[in-house]
Structures are given as C-alpha cells and as structure tokens.
Amino acid sequence: MTSGPQTPAAKAAGEFTRLHGRAPAGVWSAPGRVNLIGEHTDYNDGYVLPFALPHRIAVAAAPRADGMLTVSTLGDDGGCQHAEPVAVADLAPGVVSGWGAYPAGVAWVLRDHGVRTGADLVIAGDVPAGAGLSSSHALECAVALALLGLAGLSPERPDIARWVQRSENDFVGAPTGLLDQTASLMCVSAHVLFHDVRSGKSEQVPFDAAASGLEVLVIDTRASHSNTDGGYASRRAGCERAAALLGIPALRDVDVTELAETLAKLPDELRPLVRHIVTENDRVLQTVELLRAGRLTEVGPLLSASHASLRDDYRVSWKEADVAVEAAMSAGALGARMIGGGFGGSAIALVPVDLHDDVERAVVAECAARSLTRPRLFTAVPSAGAGRDS
Ligand code: GLA
C-alpha cells in the first residue's frame, strides 16, 4: 500500500516535533475560499456567497510559559522560515512586519478576548499564495482557532471572524471586509454560504455542481495581487463617500429598483462604483434563488454580468482575468468571472464537465498567444470550513 501526500495538518505536526523536540498540543486548520458571487459587497453591508476550498493552512501549536510567540512556516521546498520571536505583551500595530504580521496580528487582537499566553506555532499549507484564494485569511483563521484552542476557549464563529478582520485592518493594514474570514470559518462541505454581512445571518445552500453535469473551474492567473496597495482602499473609500452623500449607512441600503434615481444624486466619478455594488447585491440574491430552486445551469449569465461589472464599473479586473474569462466563455463555459479583491489573482468558470478539457486548452492557449504567464487550473469542490485536526 502506498501512502498519499501528507495533509497540511500532518506536515505542520511533523515539522513542529522536529523543530521543538516535542509534539504539538494540537493542530488546527482553515481553508481558502472561492466566492461564487458577491464581490466588494461585504464592506458595503451586503451579501456574499462563498464556498471553502479543499486547500488549507494548518497550524500546529503548543503553549509557552514565557509569554513569547514564535512562528515558523514550512515552505513548499521543505525549508522553514522563522519570524522574529516577540512577546505577546509587546504586540502592537507596526511592531511586526512582513508575513509574520498575519499571525502576530491575530495574537494581538486575541489579547482582548482572553488569550494572553505565549505559544509556539508551526504553519504548513497548500492554499496558493497571492492567488486571490484567501491564503492570508486561512492562515489568520487557523492561528485564531489554535490560540483560542490552547486557551480552552471556543467563542462563536462570527465573533472570531470579526476579531480576525480587526487584526487584518488594524495590525496588517489591509482594509478588507468580512467575506474571507466568514467563508473560512463558517463554510461546510457541499454547500455555498449565503451570508448577509449586515445582519450576520447565514444560510448553507446546497451546491452540487456535478449533479448538474457542471464544475467550478478555478483559473489562477498567476498575476499576483495584494489588498494593501491602495486600489482596494480607494474603492472602499469611494463607496463610503457615496453612502455619506446619500445619507445612508451603507450602499446595501440602495435597492436595485431605485438605482437610476440614486445615481442621479451622485457625482459622475462615484456612479460606476455604486452601480456595481447595487447590481452585484441583486445578482447574489438572484443566484441564491436559482440555487434554492436547483437551477444551477442558469447561474452562468449572472457570473458573467458580475465580471463585466467588476471590469467596467468597479475597474478592479486585470488583463489576465479578462483574457481567461473570454477564452473560457468562447470554449463553452456557462459563465465566468474574476474573484476576490482584484488587480490579480484568480477567476472562476462554470463549465459543463464534458467541456473541461476544451475550456482548459482554450484558456491556456489564449494566454500563451498573448505572452501571458501560463495559468494554473483546477476544479473546486465546496469543502469543510476551519476546525481542529488533532
Ligand atoms: C478581498 C477582501 C474581502 C472582499 C473581497 C472582494 O478578498 O479580503 O473582504 O472585500 O476582496 O469581494
């Protein structure tokens, strides 16, 4: 019998024992995500519809009596990177930079929620980094569960999501919303998570693409993205300015039936942003209706309309995504769109299973024809959310 490849949890545990000469007290892991639809709606108090990827980040952890936090990350090449050890009591925004800020920020925020002891953390994972699949949030969520687990605490998942968001906003310095943490912490396998950010209410909506002869193909364009470089923040600021001008708490409060009269009240430069948010929220609701009715085959045009809106109105798409989406559609995809914050990362295509090879070939060939980096494609199946592995 041959053994399969090691899971991130097994890798993290093995590396922990090798580095620290003792077994970890536990291993926790959290997945990356695909957002089926509902992009940039989260920080507008709107709707999102993500599912968890099978790809995960695992954290093997044990407490330390001296109050220090040590973090090591196992790379794909088997090498380990070590962040500068830091006392949990000394953590403050600006104290830790680089990749170490992600786990340190979580330890910083959890100090306010009953976690004050030090810990050794060893991280391993297979969520592609910089691919818009939420590897940094998977890392943060796994670290949060590990530190809370070591402290014997198990708060409600929506609370953990908000704490992780605070660490990302205030410690890492990325003004992101709640989509990614919520997806990583609350998704369950075989479902998409319909989440209303304002009310905090969630519904697990069954999602079995294979039963409809379909699959969700992820196209990692390998144009790497970042949510800290200004493009994301400027879109968010524009939305907040529009809401303030309209005298409403958030753009979520504009119904799609009031769109034209609402746009007329705004300066030209804010209109496309508002149009995207209002129509995108409506597309999420329409998608959920179709899924509840078992009509996944009809969702494609909504995905493609989302892409057009993100490209033309919100202006966060990028060349590789536009090329991939167009090539996938010309080869028979039912719908396709960029996902995540934008400016790089991944796209998805809803594809009839028997056209998988045609779509993959078309996307790869079109990228080659335009001298773009060869994308990586894989089929994504809704998988389990974050939890304890051992
Ligand atoms: C990034 C952010 C999320 C969300 C998406 C866009 O992934 O982390 O909060 O805003 O972009 O939908």
Side-chain angles (χ1 to χ4, degrees):
M1 200 175 93
T2 56
S3 60
Q6 272 196 317
T7 62
K11 282 187 190 165
E15 188 63 14
F16 188 103
T17 305
R18 197 185 68 74
L19 272 177
H20 295 291
R22 60 186 169 134
V27 184
W28 291 260
S29 66
R33 61 96 190 91
V34 154
N35 191 19
L36 188 62
I37 195 161
E39 225 62 89
H40 289 273
T41 46
D42 60 349
Y43 53 82
N44 288 291
D45 267 5
Y47 306 108
V48 292
L49 195 61
F51 66 85
L53 286 169
H55 307 74
R56 298 176 83 82
I57 306 277
V59 177
R64 281 179 72 105
D66 63 359
M68 297 297 288
L69 179 72
T70 78
V71 189
S72 307
T73 297
L74 184 65
D76 293 341
D77 57 0
C80 216
Q81 279 189 297
H82 308 282
E84 190 66 36
V86 58
V88 172
D90 292 344
L91 287 170
V95 165
V96 183
S97 56
W99 66 270
Y102 291 92
V106 174
W108 169 73
V109 83
L110 289 181
R111 277 195 332 214
D112 290 344
H113 302 285
V115 182
R116 302 194 149 260
T117 51
D120 290 319
L121 307 180
V122 176
I123 297 164
D126 59 6
V127 186
L133 301 173
S134 202
S135 61
S136 58
H137 293 94
L139 167 60
E140 291 164 332
C141 291
V143 168
L145 290 190
L147 294 176
L148 289 162
L150 292 181
L153 299 171
S154 48
E156 297 291 326
R157 293 287 171 108
D159 290 337
I160 305 175
R162 273 192 298 277
W163 301 340
V164 170
Q165 182 192 23
R166 191 175 146 229
S167 95
E168 172 110 359
N169 291 175
D170 297 350
F171 196 97
V172 175
T176 47
L178 263 172
L179 161 67
D180 304 326
Q181 308 83 338
T182 303
S184 191
L185 289 164
M186 294 173 60
C187 283
V188 300
S189 62
H191 293 75
V192 287
L193 179 77
F194 174 40
H195 185 73
D196 176 344
V197 175
R198 169 167 287 167
S199 71
K201 288 212 176 94
S202 291
E203 176 188 339
Q204 304 286 354
V205 183
F207 187 86
D208 181 357
S212 302
L214 299 175
E215 62 181 31
V216 177
L217 195 58
V218 175
I219 306 164
D220 171 5
T221 67
R222 297 176 72 198
S224 152
H225 91 123
S226 159
N227 292 327
T228 53
D229 65 5
Y232 184 96
S234 77
R235 301 309 187 281
R236 184 170 183 158
C239 291
E240 284 164 5
R241 197 152 70 83
L245 288 171
L246 293 167
I248 53 177
L251 294 183
R252 146 71 176 274
D253 294 299
V254 182
D255 192 81
V256 72
T257 56
E258 309 158 348
L259 182 58
E261 62 199 84
T262 304
L263 294 182
K265 294 181 195 152
L266 290 168
D268 283 354
E269 75 274 13
L270 293 180
R271 288 181 187 167
L273 293 183
V274 175
R275 189 161 49 225
H276 167 71
I277 299 301
V278 174
T279 58
E280 185 78 351
N281 272 325
D282 184 57
R283 283 186 286 271
V284 177
L285 298 177
Q286 289 189 53
T287 303
V288 170
E289 282 305 310
L290 288 172
L291 294 182
R292 285 189 188 127
R295 291 159 60 192
L296 176 60
T297 50
E298 294 167 52
V299 160
L302 292 165
L303 304 185
S304 296
S306 169
H307 183 75
S309 179
L310 288 157
R311 181 192 61 209
D312 302 336
D313 275 346
Y314 219 65
R315 301 186 60 190
V316 292
S317 188
W318 61 105
K319 186 171 173 194
E320 288 83 350
D322 295 340
V323 169
V325 161
E326 211 173 291
M329 293 302 291
S330 66
L334 303 184
R337 60 180 290 271
M338 59 150 281
I339 60 167
F343 310 105
S346 296
I348 54 170
L350 185 65
V351 175
V353 173
D354 52 5
L355 292 182
H356 173 116
D357 290 349
D358 294 351
V359 170
E360 176 154 0
R361 252 195 310 272
V363 170
V364 169
E366 195 56 34
C367 288
R370 302 196 190 207
S371 307
L372 301 174
T373 307
R374 185 187 171 96
R376 265 189 297 247
L377 292 89
F378 64 91
T379 300
V381 180
S383 300
R388 185 168 187 159
D389 294 85
S390 62

